Structure formats: structure tokens, C-alpha cells
Amino acid sequence: MRRFAYCKVVLATSLVWVMLDMFILLYFSECNKCDDKKERGLPGRDGEPRDGPGEGGKPVVIPKENQEKMKEMFKINQFNLMASEMIALNRSLPDVRLEGCKNKLYPDNLPRTSVVIVFHNEAWSTLLRTVRSVIDRSPHTLLEEIVLVDDASERDFLKRPLEQYVKRLEVPVRVVRMEQRSGLIRARLKGASISTGQVITFLDAHCECTTGWLEPLLARIKLDKKTVVCPIIDVISDDTFEYMAGSDMTYGGFNWKLNFRWYPVPQREMDRRKGDRTLPVRTPTMAGGLFSIDRDYFQEIGTYDAGMDIWGGENLEISFRIWQCGGTLEIVTCSHVGHVFRKATPYTFPGGTGQIINKNNRRLAEVWMDEFKNFFYIISPGVTKVDYGDITSRASLRQKLQCKPFSWYLENVYPDSQIPRHYYSLGEIRNVETNQCLDNMARKENEKVGIFNCHGMGGNQKLTLVHVNSNQCLDKASEEDSQVPSVRDCTHSRSQQWLLRNVTLPEIF
């Protein structure tokens, strides 16, 4: 009887312990679930299925009743701020890479990078979505830090609230303040000077990095530190924030006015890569907003031209310098980063946009373009009247680095350039009968040339005259289209006679 009572006590005690174990197990199991829920509330990873505005890179539709408010908010940053604020800071994006890129393997010992992002009165949502996308889609072993350079923003939420927010992030993020409005160029120089990564990656403040964006960039630099690399720049709509993949079949060039332009990748570059579109494209110029460069090489080739102001022209200047001084500039087609492209800038420029860009372009033309700068001055005569400052140190840099002439660049890097390397004459072509001039009417390549009243100001009426053997003659415009010259059988009439007035260089100050 006593043994039976003893057994009951043991059994009851065991049951208590079993129940206690089950309770502890269930408790911690529930806590784990709670932690999962908490983690989902934090910026997540790409693999998590989520619903919400803009997820998967889809466009955001604003209800009709909010359209007026949306238009007012649009003016603040010149993009749809209402749509941006509806989208999660860690929204999911499609994997837009070529299939061949998804299986590429990269070395384990890639250099670490500092990501430098300059902002001025940027929206909270776009700035932090940029930061979150860098953190969430970069291996942390490759991410040294993120440096946010505030170019004298005036909005309160970009002060202490921003500093408090970035302290909680899992990657070191530093906020550096410029004492006064200095512009993109000098702010980037500030960020680069305090960064510590072996590679410096520059991004704009309204970007979104995609899966696998970083490794292919760093791999190219590891292979050759004199290689400067850009991702494919995808388009984030300024109206709907839809994410649209950029083309791997375009590269950077420029026109006679020194405006950056995208052009189709030429056949010679496709042949060099043997048709493999996953290999990097050698590009004559870069857009300038997004690129990675080895820290030591950035210093070696002279960083940015600190004599340039605010923004504009610095992308062509560094592109010319990289190529002419022994480096290589590439678009890495396996790397994609989205960028909000705005139709207008929300910022003001001291002295006006035109004045600043003319000064910057004049500096790059004087230092890097040799005699070909004359084409630019003829097309844009106003540039020659701008005070462009002292370029002695930049000219000395070119001499020190033993950089090649611009003619070499045109022949070997950019033979497709619109700047002719050989020409007979440059000037105005006037019809004897109508007294009107040939004018390209600001049309694109391979589009019809036009006829317009001669204005003597150059620009679109500065044309190169090249003789081509033909059995027909250029004639005045037909009645069907009064703005397009025609080609007819030669009659030697006055309508087929054209006067060429050679252009002289504007007075250069």
C-alpha cells in the first residue's frame, strides 16, 4: 500500500514536470513566432511574399479623390511624393537580370565598398528606400559603410530624426553635413574623403538597388583597379514609381553641345564581346550618378575637378579623363540599380543652371578636348564668354598622368561620335533662291534635315558639308513639305544653288 502511494507521488510529479516542459516548449515556440512577426515589421529580404502598394515594382495608382493633393505634393520634389510615401521602404522588386547573370559566381575575397549618397532636401521615403535597398540587397561582408552627405538641407526631418533612424540600422551609416550648399561635386568629394572602404560607390538619393547588384561591380574592380564600373540604370517612374528594367543594349555618348546621351551599343562592341550580353560594355561616357571606383585609383586620376560648380559636366569630364589617362569605363550588364528620373529639377542653382553648366563644360573642353573644343564653341558660342576659373592644376594633372590626346579618344573609344574627325568645311548652307538655310531642326540622327529662315546664330544651322557623288542635286523644299529640302535631277536652277558661309570661331575670353 505504501509502495502504491509512493508510485502515485512519483507519477504525479512526473506529470507536473512533463506539463511544465510542454509549457516552456510552447512558450518559446510562441516567442519565436512573435520574433518572426517583429522581424517582418522591420525591413525585410527579397524572398518574403508581401502585398502592398508598389510591391514587385508595380505602379501605384492614386485614387481620383486624392489627385489634387497628389499634384500639390508633386511640386515638392518633382516626383509623385504621395505614391512614394505609400510604398514600403523595403519594397520587393523584380529580378530583371539576364538569365546568364543569375548563375554567375564571383570570388570570395572581393574588396569592401563604402556607399556615398549625397542629398539635398530629399524626401524621407526615397532617401531611406535607397539606404534600405543597399543594406537589404548587399552582402554585409562587402559593405563597409554608408555615408550620407547632407548638402545643406533645410527640412527638419533630415536633421535629428534621420540621425536617430540610421543608428538602428544593421550596417554602419554616417550622416555628414556640409556647412553651406556646395553642390553634388564637392559634397561627393567630402563623402569620399571620410569613407574607409577600398572601393567607393556613388549613388543618387532616389535609387533602389536590386538583387545581385554589388558583386559584379566589385568583381570587375578586383580584376583591374583601373576599371571604373556603372550598373545598368533602370527607370523608376516619377509618376507611379513603377520599376522598369533598363536596356543592356545602350551605352553612354554625347552630342556636340556636350550633353550626355544614350545610344545603341554599336556592332563593334557586340563583336568584341562575341555576342555575350552578360559581359560588360565598354562605354565612352557615363551618366555620372551611379558608379564604383577603386579608392586609390580615384585619387590617382584626380578625383573630381573641384573647380566645377554644383552639378553638370562632371560626368563627361571624368569619363574623358578615365579613358585618356589609361583607365577603362564599363557598364556592367549583370548589375541593375533603379533611379527616379525627373522631368524637371526641384532645386535652384546659384547664378542659374545655364551659367553653371557652361562654366563646367568650358573647363572640361579646355583641359581635355584639344582642338576639338572648337566644335563645341561654334555650336555653343555663349560658353566662350563664361569665366571658367583657373585650370592650371588640371592641365598639370593631365601632363603628369601622360594622358592621350582627344583625337585618340575619338578614334579608339568613340569612333561613333557626332564630332567629325575629318571634314572639309563647317558653316551655314543657304539656298540662293529662297535665302533659307539648312537646319537640323533639333532632330535626331537619321531623321530628315529641315529648312528654316537663316538666323546667323549657328546652333542647328551649323552643318558639315561633305561632297558625295550623285546624279541628283539638293533642291529647295517641295510644296508638299515646305520644311524639308528635296533631291531632284540636276537642272542648275537657282533653287539648286547653295551658298556655304564658313564659320569663324567666336571671340574667346
Side-chain angles (χ1 to χ4, degrees), residues 89-146:
L89 298 182
N90 63 326
R91 75 155 163 178
S92 57
L93 292 175
D95 188 346
V96 296
R97 293 175 295 174
L98 295 165
E99 285 302 318
C101 294
K102 297 176 183 179
N103 301 319
K104 281 186 180 286
L105 299 176
Y106 301 100
D108 294 328
N109 56 341
L110 293 174
R112 289 166 64 85
T113 187
S114 295
V115 178
V116 176
I117 301 169
V118 173
F119 66 94
H120 172 72
N121 287 341
E122 187 66 40
W124 176 271
S125 54
T126 46
L127 176 60
L128 271 301
R129 197 174 297 118
T130 303
V131 172
R132 287 284 4 160
S133 73
V134 170
I135 294 173
D136 292 348
R137 300 192 181 106
S138 307
H140 291 188
T141 53
L142 302 179
L143 204 52
E144 183 76 24
E145 63 190 342
I146 298 174

Side-chain angles (χ1 to χ4, degrees), residues 6 10 42 78-79 120 164 170 174 231-232 238 260 270 280 297 349 363 406 415 425 444 485 491:
Y6 178 79
V10 171
L42 295 173
Q78 287 299 320
F79 55 66
H120 172 72
Q164 293 298 315
E170 54 268 48
R174 289 195 276 171
I232 288 180
D238 60 344
F260 173 86
M270 292 299 297
Y297 184 59
F349 291 73
R363 288 180 68 88
F406 197 68
S425 188
K444 296 180 180 178
T491 62

Side-chain angles (χ1 to χ4, degrees), residues 60-77:
V60 175
V61 179
I62 304 297
K64 287 184 179 180
E65 59 268 23
N66 294 333
Q67 290 286 321
E68 288 304 315
K69 184 178 179 182
M70 177 199 74
K71 291 175 183 176
E72 284 302 310
M73 292 176 68
F74 195 101
K75 298 173 185 176
I76 299 172
N77 292 93

